[in-house]
Amino acid sequence: MSNFSFIIIKQSGSARAGLINTPHGSIETPAFIFCATKGAIKVADTERLDDAGTQIILANTYHLMLQPGEDTIAQLGGLHKMMGWNKPMLTDSGGYQIFSLGHGSVSEEIKGIRSKQRTLLTINEDGAVFRSYINGKTYCLTPEKSIQIQQKLGADLILVLDECTPFHVSKEYTKQSMRMSHKWATRSLQEFEKSKQGKQVLYGISQGGVYKDLRKESCEFINNAPFFGQAIGGSLGKDKKQMYEVVAYNMEYLRQDRPTHLLGIGSIVDIFHAINLGIDTFDCVHPTRLARHGGALIKPNNRSSQCKEHINLRNKQFELDNNPIEDDCSCFTCRKHSRAYLHYLLKARELLAYTLITYHNIFFINKLMQSIRQAILDNRLNQEKSNWI
């Protein structure tokens, strides 16, 4: 791990500003990781990501193993070279896809929605067997296979394979699933140790659903294994209150000398809450997915009383609005284009609309994280929060 290190520069309460050093550069934490799921941020190129201050992006093992395949990516020089991205990268293990293949998304599950297609065939201690959504071919994803794929992809930070425990199942199922994930994590570690070359580090993942005793057991397992970092995964509850409680359980028990990643969280209010608990990094599709639905993130001083964290530029109220998304934003979109123009592009279904709003949202989140880091250094995080929420 000589090419990697994690340093806590300043702690303010439980919130902390730190530095994750990798072969592809350093990540100032807290940091947001944007999701380039299939090896691309939808409608945004890597140069624009860099210009917007992005430090690190995430790609998805499951999707990339199906297309174009890890061997193809390896022959092209790995994800960094293929994508033209020279900064740090993280790959997830495919564990969340096992969850969604069998149970749907978290929101679908909580709302009781059942989508038509379920491609997960079986899951047991050996691994997960599923059909490709692309061509119907059958695949088996094991802990060993997940690590092998991620080594070929070449991301700096990689994750163990786990089962993202469903929300609606019993505590007994959750316990069995968690312990299976621990066995998978051990096998992931063993496979990782076989051929590590100092170019990657491995994160363990805490499971245990919404149950405090199971989360404690899982954290103790993670703490005693030689991981570089740790992530909080699985079901985090049915609402924000329960989610905050589950994250707090984990932060009570997890080691404090490792970088801690929270999987799948991306709203502004959730980011502040988690940082106050000691979380270092986040990933979520929310900012970029929101942009593709016409949603532009804005600060409180640019919001109406009805608006929460974003405005919907599809709304007719913006048809003749010559103001930028935010007057005080220096991103390319806000410097060059009006809300009215973006409204028109959305109505005309011009793809440029999605690119411009995506760029703004990425720039916005990166500015948010920069402001939070500085506020931690200055011991004024609670005051900074009022500028964003």
Side-chain angles (χ1 to χ4, degrees), residues 144-290:
E144 294 81 5
K145 182 67 173 176
S146 176
I147 295 298
Q148 292 164 10
I149 293 170
Q150 291 184 82
Q151 288 175 328
K152 290 180 179 180
L153 298 179
D156 305 270
L157 314 178
I158 68 175
L159 272 62
V160 299
L161 183 66
D162 65 332
E163 182 190 14
C164 182
T165 314
F167 171 75
H168 67 269
V169 297
S170 67
K171 182 177 181 179
E172 184 59 30
Y173 179 95
T174 303
K175 179 168 67 175
Q176 292 174 0
S177 172
M178 176 194 73
R179 291 178 177 171
M180 181 181 73
S181 287
H182 291 171
K183 292 177 181 177
W184 283 6
T186 299
R187 288 165 55 189
S188 295
L189 263 170
Q190 291 170 347
E191 184 64 29
F192 178 75
E193 292 291 332
K194 286 181 183 178
S195 55
K196 69 176 184 179
Q197 299 176 339
K199 297 179 180 180
Q200 296 177 306
V201 286
L202 187 62
Y203 277 53
I205 303 178
S206 161
Q207 291 290 344
V210 298
Y211 305 103
K212 188 172 184 178
D213 58 332
L214 296 185
R215 285 286 176 175
K216 181 179 181 181
E217 180 181 336
S218 189
C219 290
E220 288 173 349
F221 167 81
I222 298 297
N223 290 344
N224 292 320
F227 295 112
F228 172 81
Q230 54 212 10
I232 300 172
S235 171
L236 298 177
K238 63 182 178 181
D239 53 33
K240 285 185 182 291
K241 180 177 182 294
Q242 193 169 41
M243 178 181 75
Y244 297 155
E245 290 173 351
V246 172
V247 175
Y249 297 160
N250 284 269
M251 297 312 292
E252 180 181 349
Y253 300 126
L254 282 170
R255 287 172 53 164
Q256 300 300 301
D257 60 337
R258 292 172 172 172
T260 303
H261 181 76
L262 183 56
L263 291 156
I265 300 301
S267 76
I268 300 170
V269 65
D270 292 344
I271 286 172
F272 269 100
H273 196 98
I275 285 172
N276 268 311
L277 291 172
I279 296 295
D280 301 298
T281 55
F282 309 80
D283 76 86
C284 193
V285 299
H286 174 66
T288 50
R289 177 179 287 170
L290 181 68

Side-chain angles (χ1 to χ4, degrees), residues 8-12 15-18 376-379:
I8 299 172
I9 296 171
K10 176 68 179 288
Q11 188 149 342
S12 180
R16 55 201 200 169
I376 294 172
L377 293 172
D378 296 340
N379 289 314

Side-chain angles (χ1 to χ4, degrees), residues 312-376:
N312 186 348
L313 290 165
R314 294 181 182 275
N315 291 345
K316 187 174 177 59
Q317 72 186 87
F318 301 113
E319 185 177 17
L320 298 175
D321 190 338
N322 261 324
N323 296 299
I325 296 172
E326 293 193 298
D327 289 325
D328 56 351
C329 178
S330 59
C331 79
F332 173 84
T333 303
C334 288
R335 286 188 287 109
K336 295 290 185 180
H337 301 296
S338 68
R339 294 175 174 185
Y341 181 57
L342 296 168
H343 171 83
Y344 154 69
L345 292 175
L346 288 165
K347 289 297 184 181
R349 297 184 179 180
E350 288 288 345
L351 298 181
L352 178 60
Y354 311 121
T355 297
L356 292 175
I357 304 171
T358 294
Y359 182 81
H360 167 79
N361 284 359
I362 290 172
F363 188 94
F364 180 98
I365 291 292
N366 286 332
K367 282 294 182 184
L368 166 67
M369 302 312 294
Q370 290 169 14
S371 298
I372 288 174
R373 286 194 295 273
Q374 190 60 51
I376 294 172

